[in-house]
Amino acid sequence: MKRVGVLALQGDFDAHRVALEAAGASAFDARSLEDIESADAFVLPGGESTVMGSLLVRFGLMEALVSRIKAGVPVFGTCAGLILLAKTIEGREQPGIRLLDIEVKRNAYGRQVDSFRAPIHTRIPGAESLEAVFIRAPKICSTGPGVEILAEHAGDPILVRQGNILAGTFHPELVEGAAIHRYFIGM
Ligand code: GLN
C-alpha cells in the first residue's frame, strides 16, 4: 500500500491522516477526481454520512470511488464512513457506496450526549485489547455471508471485513497506537 487517500470532504479526516502516518503509511487528503483515481487505498472518516454522501455526488466523485472499490482498492470506513459503505440503511434512503453487505441503523445509541468509550476485544493480532470511542455511532443490525466479524461490543458487530473493505462503527483514529490502521495498511 503506497498512498492512502483520506476522503476530506467533511468529518475528522485530519485525525485519520495522523493515525495512518503513525502506522507507517503515507496519507493525503482526497478531494478531487484525480485524488480518487490515484490513491492506492481509501479511508472514509467519521462525520455525517448524509453530508459526505451528498458531497460525493455533487462533486462527481461517487462513481469513481465506487468503481475503484469494486476493482479491489482497499478501503477503511469508520462510523459515518461505515454507513457510506453499507448496502442497506435501516428506514432511510441516502446517497451511498453500498458495497459492504451489512444493514446499519444510524445514531443507534442515541444522541451526542450518549456517546461513550468502552474497552473492546478484536480478532486482529496485535490489536486484541483496545479502547473504542463511539460518537453517535451506528449499529450493524445484520451481516451477509461474506462478511467477517472482527470485533463485537455488547453482542453487536462493531468491526467487519469483506475482502478489500474494512469498516468499524467506532473511531480508531481517536485512540493512541493506530493498531487498526496498522492492520488496514497490511491489507
Ligand atoms: N451519526 C453520524 C451519521 O449518521 C455518524 C457519526 C460519526 O461518524 N461519528 O452519519
Side-chain angles (χ1 to χ4, degrees):
M1 192 179 289
K2 297 166 200 129
R3 283 169 77 243
V4 184
V6 182
L7 188 69
L9 302 179
Q10 192 267 336
D12 77 333
F13 47 88
D14 273 334
H16 271 292
R17 205 185 337 90
V18 172
L20 285 162
E21 277 159 7
S26 126
F28 71 102
D29 290 348
R31 291 197 176 89
S32 67
L33 196 53
E34 202 185 354
D35 295 338
I36 301 293
E37 297 292 2
S38 68
D40 298 306
F42 297 106
V43 165
L44 311 177
E48 271 306 323
S49 57
T50 48
V51 176
M52 268 188 266
S54 308
L55 291 177
L56 279 168
V57 172
R58 192 188 310 166
F59 297 154
L61 306 175
M62 184 67 96
E63 263 178 51
L65 187 58
V66 169
S67 74
R68 295 224 55 218
I69 296 169
K70 264 192 192 158
V73 174
V75 59
F76 180 20
T78 58
C79 205
L82 168 140
I83 297 168
L84 279 177
L85 288 164
K87 200 163 264 180
T88 315
I89 299 168
E90 201 186 275
R92 167 156 200 140
E93 278 295 317
Q94 64 184 66
I97 294 164
R98 302 216 174 91
L99 293 175
L100 174 60
D101 192 8
I102 60 172
E103 179 174 6
V104 294
K105 181 175 162 58
R106 292 179 63 211
N107 304 319
Y109 299 88
R111 300 165 49 174
Q112 188 73 17
V113 291
D114 304 306
S115 298
F116 62 100
R117 286 176 175 262
I120 61 159
H121 295 281
T122 82
R123 293 178 192 114
I124 296 173
E128 287 89 353
S129 266
L130 298 174
E131 178 155 61
V133 181
F134 296 85
I135 304 173
R136 283 192 307 122
K139 262 189 197 176
I140 300 173
C141 322
S142 65
T143 56
V147 178
E148 182 187 359
I149 296 170
L150 294 173
E152 281 150 326
H153 175 259
D156 297 308
I158 56 167
L159 181 67
V160 295
R161 178 172 176 180
Q162 177 191 314
N164 59 318
I165 304 176
L166 178 69
T169 61
F170 54 101
H171 286 263
E173 74 285 7
L174 297 182
V175 298
E176 294 286 301
I180 300 179
H181 289 81
R182 232 175 278 280
Y183 170 74
F184 174 59
I185 290 165
M187 286 168 54

